[in-house]
Amino acid sequence: MSKFLIALDRNAERWALLMFYVLLVVTMAVEVLRREIFAFSSIWGEELVRYAFIYLVWIGAAAAVRERAHIRIDVVMHYLGPRAKAALYIFGDLVMFVVAIIALYWSIETVLVSVKFGSVSAGLRVSMVWFLMAVPVGFALMLWRLTQSLARDLRSFRDGTPVYEGDKLFD
């Protein structure tokens, strides 16, 4: 695999999150200044911030899957061996995989309805497809990261090595 693809796999969500976060902060700052200094605000600013935040959430959810950063109750995990931990993580990833496939299907249905009726946003006057695509993009990224996680967990299960549990926030 080329260095670019490795870097993309390692950092795709980070780069996207940074882009949407900067867009959100800059737009919000400009809108606050416009409102406070010029007593005027745009109709599109609040809408752009809202949709940037929606992309942040869904791409962030995929990044959390990659890093195993979603909230979980792991009291039982402290008492299990490496293979049992890997088996539980595999089970959790499979359940999440099924849920993500179902959610991806229904989110694509929503996008297709928007395409069919040609809905546009109120302020930006841009096709709602671009904003509704945040959900299927997020779930597609989650499925990709879940596939990687399942492969990693299956290796741990097969080899009996400790499973990747993500970085710990607290000890």
Side-chain angles (χ1 to χ4, degrees):
M1 194 185 288
S2 73
K3 287 184 181 183
F4 173 74
L5 290 178
I6 292 170
L8 185 64
D9 182 54
R10 188 176 300 132
N11 298 309
E13 290 94 348
R14 283 186 202 164
W15 294 336
L17 289 172
L18 177 64
M19 181 185 71
F20 283 112
Y21 188 70
V22 167
L23 177 66
L24 184 147
V25 169
V26 168
T27 305
M28 193 180 301
V30 166
E31 286 303 304
V32 167
L33 291 174
R34 288 175 69 174
R35 188 175 299 128
E36 295 301 320
I37 294 173
F38 302 113
F40 176 78
S41 63
S42 67
I43 197 167
W44 54 266
E46 179 271 332
E47 199 171 79
L48 186 63
V49 168
R50 181 181 343 131
Y51 294 130
F53 183 73
I54 290 169
Y55 268 96
L56 269 173
V57 167
W58 288 107
I59 294 171
V65 167
R66 181 181 190 275
E67 297 296 325
R68 282 232 161 98
H70 282 282
I71 296 173
R72 64 182 182 266
I73 300 171
D74 60 354
V75 174
V76 175
M77 296 294 203
H78 297 295
Y79 300 107
L80 299 175
R83 282 211 163 129
K85 271 186 187 180
L88 277 177
Y89 276 115
I90 290 168
F91 175 74
D93 286 347
L94 287 172
V95 169
M96 221 169 145
F97 198 87
V98 169
V99 169
I101 286 175
I102 293 167
L104 178 63
Y105 173 79
W106 287 109
S107 64
I108 289 173
E109 284 288 320
T110 304
V111 171
L112 293 176
V113 167
S114 180
V115 168
K116 180 179 178 182
F117 292 107
S119 59
V120 295
S121 67
L124 293 168
R125 304 305 296 164
V126 174
S127 174
M128 284 299 292
V129 169
W130 294 106
F131 308 121
L132 294 172
M133 280 300 294
V135 180
V137 164
F139 277 112
L141 281 170
M142 276 187 229
L143 286 169
W144 173 248
R145 294 307 184 183
L146 282 166
T147 302
Q148 291 176 327
S149 180
L150 276 166
R152 181 180 58 211
D153 293 344
L154 286 169
R155 275 193 305 274
S156 293
F157 183 77
R158 182 190 65 216
D159 301 339
T161 57
V163 70
Y164 175 72
E165 297 187 71
D167 295 329
K168 298 210 184 290
L169 293 176
F170 307 104
D171 280 329

